[in-house]
Amino acid sequence: MATRAEQKLKTRRALMDAALSQLSADRGFGSLSLREVAREAGIAPTSFYRHFAELDELGLALVDEGGVALRQLMRQARKRIARDGSAISTSVDTFMEYLGNNANLFRLMLRERTGVSKPFRTAVKAEIDHFATELADDLKRFADEKNKPLSDPKVVAEAMVTLVFNQGAEALDCTPREREELKTKLKAELRMILVGSQTMASRQAS
């Protein structure tokens, strides 16, 4: 039984990887067919249904995976921040590492964020909201530790996430040099948001 369960998980993984491998800057998830995904995974099309009810279910699993991978990576970044001390610089570097390793996952989330499928839009929004909520908690904790209050950590987090996702979309098609320049720009923009919130909090307290 354990062997059959392991094989099922392996085939499910192969289907997800097959779908991801066919995504690109020019091709979105909506253009994929169940038959070609199954063929790429090395199984018969009819066997697909043992793992997913439909192709969209596979896509939603990928969205979930993309969000979880990003949150896990940013949690690891917190440990680096605690060691290195630069929250924005470390977070941006970590996010760019995520892009480098998960380009097609991020492309999927970007496209489906404003796509025609409501289930996809809802799933991507939920992942972004999770990410923003965790970031808001981090920002509040860092602000308390440094005694530099923020005007509204949740709004700051949401602004930062929107900026990062937009710049991430641009970074996908950048050359290495252009990506380094974008990272420098992104770090400066995030610091501006942070300092602006600190300044507002200071004025509100006076």
Side-chain angles (χ1 to χ4, degrees), residues 2-204:
T3 301
R4 290 182 63 184
E6 289 170 2
Q7 182 58 44
K8 186 172 183 178
L9 286 175
K10 184 177 179 180
T11 303
R12 178 184 171 91
R13 178 73 259 167
L15 286 166
M16 293 172 71
D17 288 342
L20 271 181
S21 71
Q22 296 178 66
L23 300 179
S24 68
D26 301 317
R27 190 176 193 196
F29 188 83
S31 69
L32 302 184
S33 73
L34 184 154
R35 185 174 295 277
E36 65 183 336
V37 170
R39 183 174 62 245
E40 181 71 18
I43 67 171
T46 52
S47 298
F48 178 94
Y49 297 104
R50 298 175 187 171
H51 308 278
F52 299 99
E54 57 183 2
L55 198 57
D56 277 0
E57 185 179 310
L58 184 155
L60 291 172
L62 287 173
V63 168
D64 179 66
E65 181 174 272
V68 169
L70 180 56
R71 293 201 303 277
Q72 288 178 340
L73 197 61
M74 297 312 294
R75 287 167 189 161
Q76 294 172 17
R78 291 176 198 145
K79 298 177 182 178
R80 294 166 61 183
I81 291 169
R83 183 181 67 245
D84 301 332
S86 178
I88 286 178
S89 182
T90 300
S91 296
V92 170
D93 289 344
T94 301
F95 177 73
M96 290 300 177
E97 290 172 15
Y98 169 84
L99 281 188
N101 296 323
N102 302 275
N104 282 348
L105 268 177
F106 190 68
R107 288 185 199 279
L108 174 66
M109 294 179 71
L110 281 175
R111 283 199 177 105
E112 300 306 332
R113 183 183 183 188
T114 56
V116 297
S117 169
K118 184 176 181 179
F120 272 104
R121 292 199 307 272
T122 300
V124 174
K125 183 179 185 302
E127 295 301 332
I128 293 174
D129 287 347
H130 284 319
F131 186 53
T133 297
E134 289 195 7
L135 178 58
D137 291 340
D138 286 343
L139 289 171
K140 187 176 186 310
R141 185 173 67 257
F142 293 147
D144 292 343
E145 290 173 355
K146 296 183 177 182
N147 196 27
K148 292 183 178 180
L150 299 176
S151 176
D152 190 328
K154 185 64 186 296
V155 171
V156 174
E158 290 172 349
M160 286 182 162
V161 169
T162 297
L163 179 60
V164 167
F165 266 66
N166 289 342
Q167 295 286 33
E170 184 177 341
L172 284 171
D173 300 315
C174 284
T175 64
R177 179 178 178 179
E178 289 171 338
R179 185 170 291 193
E180 286 303 314
E181 292 173 351
L182 190 146
K183 282 169 61 175
T184 299
K185 176 185 175 185
L186 179 56
K187 290 174 185 180
E189 291 171 335
L190 291 173
R191 289 190 181 98
M192 289 177 186
I193 293 175
L194 193 62
V195 171
S197 180
Q198 291 170 343
T199 301
M200 289 178 65
S202 177
R203 289 178 179 174
Q204 291 165 356

